[in-house]
Amino acid sequence: MRDLLLCFFRRTDVVTVTPWLAPIVWEDTFDQVLIDYNYKAMNLTIATTVFAVGKYVSFLREFLETAEIHFMVDYKVNYYVFTDRPEDVPSVNLTKGRHLCVIQVPGANRWQEISARRMKIISTTIETRISREADYIFCLDVDSKFHAHWGAESLGRLVSVIHPWYYQTTRNNFPYERRPASKAYMPMDRGDYYYGGALIGGSVADVYILTKECHNRFEEDAKNSIEAAWQEESHLNRYLYYNKPSKVLSPEYLWHDSKARTKEVKVIRFSGVVKNYAEIRPNV
Ligand SMILES: CC(=O)N[C@H]1[C@@H](OP(=O)(O)OP(=O)(O)OC[C@H]2O[C@@H](n3ccc(=O)[nH]c3=O)[C@H](O)[C@@H]2O)O[C@H](CO)[C@H](O)[C@@H]1O
Ligand SMILES: [Mn+2]
């Protein structure tokens, strides 16, 4: 799938292109009218996967309600909700052209396991149905809310987001996996950005390859009794170093409610909610 380059470089306070010439999407770097003119003609369907295992079902309502207001408005969206508590999935009114399906998955005793298993389940579900049902896909954390416009400017062959806690720091401070024994290993002198594991996006075909490879490498680690520092986020970061994203989203697309807004962030579009880890996770 080819990316449409409908961006411009009006911002001078932030870097708006990567060294390999992929756009970094910030407010005022895209023309909404041109973007919608081009993308709407394609009659696209956007798959959105979200995991709500155990007590995390309680985040679903606000995630979905705010998505209906801000996320890919006027595009066809299929939400795929993975949960062990289908009866607790709230019923939310969806706009025309938007659908939700609930897919049952087992519960887990460790949050690391749930987080890591996402790659496996996403790749399997792409095989069984999403490859036929959608053109693009976003895989998102559920403990988050949409606050402002998030539209087709975010679409691309392979899309990732710069992690809000690490966009102002240098590579040696990135929490990559540093043990050579792990399949997520990143040497100190390598790396472009630190990407957030709460968002993976792109064409369904490209995200399929990503999730399969990250899962396989995670499994190889498991066989060697190693768990990467930040589970699938570590594998994602390694993958995206060797397979460069075609579009990088600024931290506007992944902020955190506990983080004060910085002056270059003009709009917060999606932000993690403050949660009580001890209360919400199966283990601490
Ligand atoms: C902002 C950001 O980049 N967040 C990442 C970060 O953590 P977080 O601390 O935000 O991780 P988290 O607790 O939100 O877990 C990630 C996701 O797994 C699901 N979940 C988790 C636990 C549970 O009991 N039930 C459940 O459904 C849920 O969709 C959740 O949003 O580190 C994790 C490392 O593994 C992931 O890479 C997250 O994407
Ligand atoms: Mn999260």
Side-chain angles (χ1 to χ4, degrees):
M1 218 177 261
R2 208 160 45 86
D3 280 31
L4 296 176
L5 271 179
L6 300 168
C7 56
F8 42 82
F9 305 102
R10 204 153 63 192
R11 293 283 293 267
T12 52
D13 60 329
V14 287
V15 181
T16 56
V17 65
T18 67
W20 60 94
L21 303 183
I24 308 179
V25 185
W26 291 88
E27 177 69 351
D28 288 336
T29 63
F30 54 90
D31 184 328
Q32 198 61 59
V33 173
L34 276 183
I35 291 208
D36 282 334
Y37 178 84
N38 283 276
Y39 279 104
K40 283 214 178 120
M42 296 184 210
N43 192 27
L44 300 169
T45 299
I46 321 298
T48 305
T49 66
V50 68
F51 284 74
V53 177
K55 292 182 183 165
Y56 279 57
V57 279
S58 60
F59 295 117
L60 267 177
R61 179 177 291 284
E62 286 201 304
F63 175 93
L64 292 167
E65 284 179 353
T66 57
E68 284 300 289
I69 299 168
H70 300 295
F71 178 69
M72 301 306 298
V73 173
D74 294 335
Y75 288 83
K76 290 189 280 179
V77 171
N78 290 346
Y79 299 101
Y80 299 83
V81 174
F82 299 92
T83 184
D84 56 337
R85 301 183 181 186
E87 64 286 356
D88 293 341
V89 174
S91 80
V92 170
N93 285 331
L94 302 180
T95 325
K96 190 166 168 287
R98 300 168 74 106
H99 305 277
L100 184 147
C101 63
V102 177
I103 298 173
Q104 188 150 5
V105 293
N109 298 324
R110 289 177 70 238
W111 65 266
Q112 294 90 337
E113 206 179 299
I114 299 165
S115 181
R117 234 179 23 206
R118 288 191 288 183
M119 294 287 193
K120 165 79 185 146
I121 295 174
I122 292 165
S123 71
T124 309
T125 313
I126 290 177
E127 275 171 24
T128 54
R129 55 189 292 184
I130 299 176
S131 58
R132 283 178 283 108
E133 296 174 358
D135 305 286
Y136 286 97
I137 180 169
F138 279 107
C139 312
L140 303 174
D141 262 25
V142 72
D143 55 335
S144 335
K145 277 195 264 182
F146 296 84
H147 296 276
H149 168 90
W150 173 335
E153 74 284 352
S154 64
L155 297 178
R157 189 182 54 76
L158 186 60
V159 180
S160 57
V161 67
I162 302 177
H163 198 298
W165 297 107
Y166 298 100
Y167 82 97
Q168 289 162 312
T169 185
T170 49
R171 163 164 88 188
N172 55 311
N173 294 311
F174 294 164
Y176 291 144
E177 172 55 58
R178 301 296 190 186
R179 292 168 295 176
S182 167
K183 293 285 179 206
Y185 172 58
M186 288 287 287
M188 289 307 278
D189 60 347
R190 300 256 163 193
D192 304 305
Y193 304 97
Y194 190 76
Y195 302 105
L199 186 165
I200 307 167
S203 77
V204 172
D206 282 79
V207 172
Y208 177 67
I209 298 168
L210 178 156
T211 51
K212 258 204 117 65
E213 179 160 335
C214 288
H215 172 68
N216 287 342
R217 298 181 80 91
F218 188 90
E219 288 289 295
E220 283 182 57
D221 269 7
K223 277 190 210 124
N224 298 321
S225 309
I226 293 190
E227 186 175 87
W230 289 99
Q231 296 80 34
E232 91 291 9
E233 187 174 86
S234 305
H235 289 276
L236 174 74
N237 271 278
R238 183 213 158 269
Y239 183 90
L240 292 172
Y241 177 69
Y242 291 98
N243 304 270
K244 305 291 191 207
S246 63
K247 190 172 272 183
V248 174
L249 304 179
S250 71
E252 295 168 5
Y253 292 81
L254 180 64
W255 201 248
H256 197 269
D257 289 357
S258 67
K259 188 171 165 63
R261 187 149 71 92
T262 50
K263 64 176 183 327
E264 58 277 4
V265 174
K266 298 187 178 182
V267 187
I268 293 172
R269 305 174 195 280
F270 185 65
S271 179
V273 301
V274 176
K275 60 187 189 289
N276 178 342
Y277 282 99
E279 196 173 292
I280 202 89
R281 281 178 169 172
N283 61 313
V284 281

